[in-house]
Amino acid sequence: QCELDENVLSDTWRKTLDVKGSRYTLGEMRRMRRPGSNVSLQIVSFHQLSDAQALDLENPIQRALVEMGDSEIGEPVLDLNVFGVNISSHYVNSIVTASKIIAHLDSIGISEPKILEIGSGIGLLGVALKKWYGSKVTLIFADLPETLEHQSFLLLSTFPNEKYSFKPSDTNVDPVTGGINLVNTYKLMSQNYPIDVFINCNSMAEMKAETANSYIGYAKNNLNPNGIMYLSNAFGMATSSARTPAEYSLGDGWCLEEVSFSDGYIYGGPTIVFMNSILSRSAISSENDLKIVQREAY
């Protein structure tokens, strides 16, 4: 029953939703992480796999997340054995990303974060963050209804005792502190959520540049003073998407805390280069300074 505004969709997602269709049977949802699944078609590639070298096995956070195990919801192929634990290749990137976010939050003393992720795919990063923080983390997922359904299935099946909320329309829905909150992304702007972390992995590359910048504007307005943005994107993936990171309208007062690059194999996807950035507030940084640093790094 979500309210839709498909005018904001990029050409990439118009095509994707035409190919995907919208609704699936319960049996198909239960197999959503299997190779050949129509549910995850166009979102995750199950034809390319990562190996354990994508992990830093000396990193204590990554090691702990591995030992906590993968979710078996969706019948994934648990093709990697790390420290005697079987996990899926497609969980590797979520472990790597989660470890960066967790380490940064630890460094600034945030132990009960409120985290907003835009475009969460099938929700594996949320699984990793929830495993780490448990009831101390408030997770907010904003996505298209067609993919929000998949995230809700994976997350609420993996954590069946979690409290949750769902916001399908403009009507106010207060998020559940310490729970899982699902938001129709067309209606995200109708409610302000105070957050510590804003995450976007991969999907800004598939959006119109103006749409991506509207989400960045939302993040700037709602992040607490110590809050961070974690952005992991390729560029120029859609006809009207941002061509370089300098096209993101971050404004003054933001600095690049950390930057790294990875290719698509760590995502179990195509060999596209992703720029992975952690940004934090800085009183002395101008937007022009930031654009120069981003452009040089890219």
Side-chain angles (χ1 to χ4, degrees), residues 57-265:
L57 300 181
E58 299 300 316
N59 182 306
I61 297 174
Q62 291 188 25
R63 181 169 186 136
L65 285 168
V66 168
E67 291 173 344
M68 290 175 187
D70 196 347
S71 172
E72 295 192 18
I73 301 301
E75 299 182 7
V77 176
L78 303 177
D79 54 297
L80 293 180
N81 185 285
V82 186
F83 306 132
V85 179
N86 294 321
I87 62 173
S88 165
S89 286
H90 298 91
Y91 193 45
V92 167
N93 180 61
S94 297
I95 290 173
V96 173
T97 300
S99 70
K100 294 178 182 179
I101 294 167
I102 292 163
H104 193 88
L105 291 175
D106 283 351
S107 73
I108 58 176
I110 295 178
S111 59
E112 298 186 11
K114 295 180 175 65
I115 299 176
L116 168 63
E117 183 177 8
I118 303 292
S120 311
I122 59 173
L124 280 175
L125 178 56
V127 168
L129 292 167
K130 196 66 182 172
K131 281 180 177 285
W132 182 267
Y133 287 109
S135 61
K136 292 182 178 180
V137 67
T138 301
L139 293 175
I140 304 169
F141 299 95
D143 214 323
L144 302 176
E146 294 88 347
T147 53
L148 197 66
E149 182 177 46
H150 310 157
Q151 295 154 23
S152 64
F153 185 88
L154 177 65
L155 287 154
L156 298 179
S157 298
T158 302
F159 306 103
N161 297 318
E162 287 295 324
K163 294 180 180 178
Y164 70 93
S165 73
F166 177 50
K167 176 180 166 58
S169 66
D170 285 331
T171 303
N172 180 75
V173 177
D174 290 332
V176 176
T177 300
I180 294 170
N181 302 279
L182 306 158
V183 181
N184 171 8
T185 193
Y186 297 115
K187 300 301 174 183
L188 175 65
M189 304 300 173
S190 67
Q191 186 160 333
N192 291 319
Y193 297 104
I195 53 175
D196 301 299
V197 185
F198 173 85
I199 301 172
N200 181 266
C201 297
N202 309 357
S203 64
M204 280 188 180
E206 301 163 345
M207 298 177 189
K208 294 178 180 178
E210 63 187 280
T211 304
N213 279 322
S214 70
Y215 287 129
I216 287 172
Y218 184 93
K220 290 190 297 185
N221 291 333
N222 289 280
L223 278 163
N224 78 33
N226 294 326
I228 62 169
M229 296 190 205
Y230 183 89
L231 305 178
S232 176
N233 282 286
F235 295 92
M237 296 288 289
T239 303
S240 54
S241 66
R243 313 304 295 183
T244 75
E247 289 184 36
Y248 290 157
S249 299
L250 289 155
D252 294 334
W254 289 90
C255 66
L256 196 59
E257 288 276 347
E258 181 182 321
V259 64
S260 63
F261 294 86
S262 56
D263 68 36
Y265 279 115

Side-chain angles (χ1 to χ4, degrees), residues 2-27:
C2 285
E3 295 177 6
L4 307 181
D5 182 12
E6 296 179 355
N7 291 326
V8 303
L9 286 179
S10 68
D11 53 341
T12 301
W13 268 97
R14 289 184 186 280
K15 180 178 179 181
T16 299
L17 294 181
D18 284 344
V19 172
K20 280 182 57 62
S22 57
R23 303 304 302 275
Y24 297 94
T25 67
L26 181 58

